[in-house]
Amino acid sequence: MSNQTLVTEFVLQGFSETPQLWVLFFIIFLAFYTTALCGNSFIVMAISFSPGLHTPMYFFLVNLAVFDVFCACTVLPKMLEILVAEKKTISYGGCIIQMYFLSWSVAAEVLLFTAMAYDRYVAICQPLHYGSMMGPQVCAALAGAVWGISILGAGVNIVLLLRLTFCGPNVIDHFFCKIPPVSLLSCYSTYLNDIMTIMADIFYAVLNFVLTMVSYGFIISTILKIRTAEGKRRAFSTCSSHLIVVTMYYTTVIYTYLTPGSSYSPEMGKVMAVLYSTVSPTLNPLIYTLRNKDVRTALNKVFTLLTGKL
């Protein structure tokens, strides 16, 4: 090791194969970034300034919007930079920070989806006990668990990563720093890191996916027992937006982390990573807004207020 040079920066090579499309990519990702920031910020303001929306479902929606903003701000600024910069590099410290916040925001969203699925389960399957089962203290405890577990889990993975030594090569075949491809560049054993990564995938992706699907199994069963078509429609409308977001998110995450190595495509993996780290934070506020009359009404009030001040 004494004769080797330690890596102080990494080269992000995700766009090197299609330079003729860099301008188009820049415009698209800039639009995603702007929409994600504005859309999620407006949702936070609309719910915060609307007392009628101070319910568990919208409380969790505010948390989701915050996580989406963190995810977009972690990935997209550097992605836009490497599209226009001649030197497509990221410092070692910047790479560590990006991996931490990306790991934290992705883990937090998965945990939050489980909490939101439980909220919808109680609302539809246990409506008479909803007030007691989803009171302010319960919501605060669930949100605290989401934040605490995700922050701790991301911290453990980064601490394990910091013990590794990087002495070359330093080229990451991706748009941003992710723990698996960065670990592959280490010249030190990554056995412990690999074990922790597998455990994290099982806990965040598999366990939470199963819990979410079990909740929706009970929800669908309860909805089918409702006698009137109008009652079924109203019950389903309360959870349809969340179900769409969960399906879209888990589809990309499961492909990225659980696809067998023999059939895994690096290029398709990049596409899926962009979907859950870029497209998902952009579409989430649109899905919840377009399918929710209360949120649309609250947003109109916010726009009216802002327009009046301007």
Side-chain angles (χ1 to χ4, degrees):
M1 291 296 298
S2 60
N3 294 327
Q4 293 176 316
T5 303
L6 296 181
V7 170
T8 59
E9 64 180 14
F10 295 98
V11 178
L12 297 171
Q13 204 178 28
F15 293 101
S16 61
E17 299 174 0
T18 53
Q20 65 274 16
L21 297 177
W22 287 355
V23 174
L24 177 60
F25 285 156
F26 181 86
I27 296 173
I28 292 174
F29 288 129
L30 180 61
F32 281 148
Y33 188 38
T34 304
T35 304
L37 287 183
C38 294
N40 287 290
S41 298
F42 282 134
I43 280 184
V44 172
M45 289 189 294
I47 295 175
S48 300
F49 296 144
S50 301
L53 298 183
H54 292 177
T55 63
M57 181 175 70
Y58 296 110
F59 169 73
F60 291 129
L61 183 55
V62 167
N63 282 267
L64 178 62
V66 172
F67 295 144
D68 282 338
V69 168
F70 271 105
C71 187
C73 291
T74 299
V75 173
L76 284 168
K78 191 63 184 181
M79 191 182 296
L80 292 172
E81 179 186 332
I82 65 173
L83 282 169
V84 297
E86 293 184 7
K87 190 177 181 182
K88 305 181 186 304
T89 60
I90 183 171
S91 67
Y92 173 81
C95 190
I96 294 295
I97 292 173
Q98 189 177 64
M99 285 187 290
Y100 174 79
F101 281 102
L102 180 62
S103 300
W104 165 63
S105 60
V106 170
E109 288 204 22
V110 170
L111 291 169
L112 186 63
F113 287 148
T114 305
M116 296 172 77
Y118 174 72
D119 169 67
R120 292 300 85 203
Y121 160 77
V122 176
I124 294 175
C125 302
Q126 305 287 338
L128 298 179
H129 303 283
Y130 185 75
S132 59
M133 295 179 67
M134 291 302 297
Q137 293 182 342
V138 175
C139 292
L142 288 173
V146 169
W147 283 78
I149 294 173
S150 58
I151 289 173
L152 178 61
V156 170
N157 278 325
I158 293 303
V159 168
L160 291 175
L161 196 68
L162 288 172
R163 57 184 280 275
L164 301 179
T165 302
F166 300 92
C167 47
N170 68 334
V171 178
I172 302 173
D173 187 18
H174 215 291
F175 310 110
F176 47 82
C177 289
K178 288 182 60 181
I179 292 178
V182 172
S183 298
L184 291 175
L185 300 178
S186 172
C187 49
Y188 186 77
S189 173
T190 61
Y191 177 77
L192 183 58
N193 299 70
D194 295 338
I195 294 298
M196 290 303 299
T197 299
I198 293 173
M199 292 177 62
D201 290 344
I202 292 174
F203 174 72
Y204 290 117
V206 179
L207 179 59
N208 283 277
F209 176 75
V210 170
L211 291 175
T212 301
M213 291 301 100
V214 169
S215 296
Y216 272 99
F218 285 112
I219 290 172
I220 293 173
S221 176
T222 301
I223 291 176
L224 292 177
K225 294 177 182 178
I226 298 176
R227 295 182 179 181
T228 64
E230 178 63 19
K232 291 180 180 180
R233 187 193 65 79
R234 292 181 60 184
F236 184 74
S237 66
T238 64
C239 60
S240 58
S241 296
H242 179 246
L243 185 58
I244 292 172
V245 170
V246 167
T247 302
M248 179 179 65
Y249 198 83
Y250 272 114
T251 299
T252 58
V253 170
I254 288 175
Y255 178 90
T256 301
Y257 292 103
L258 301 182
T259 300
S262 59
S263 60
Y264 178 78
S265 168
E267 292 304 317
M268 184 58 67
K270 293 178 187 178
V271 173
M272 292 297 174
V274 169
L275 288 177
Y276 76 74
S277 64
T278 303
V279 179
S280 183
T282 304
L283 293 183
N284 286 351
L286 297 178
I287 292 172
Y288 279 103
T289 301
L290 295 176
R291 299 184 62 87
N292 192 304
K293 181 180 178 181
D294 294 332
V295 175
R296 292 200 304 269
T297 302
L299 284 172
N300 288 333
K301 293 181 180 179
V302 170
F303 291 144
T304 302
L305 180 62
L306 293 176
T307 303
K309 290 187 176 182
L310 294 176

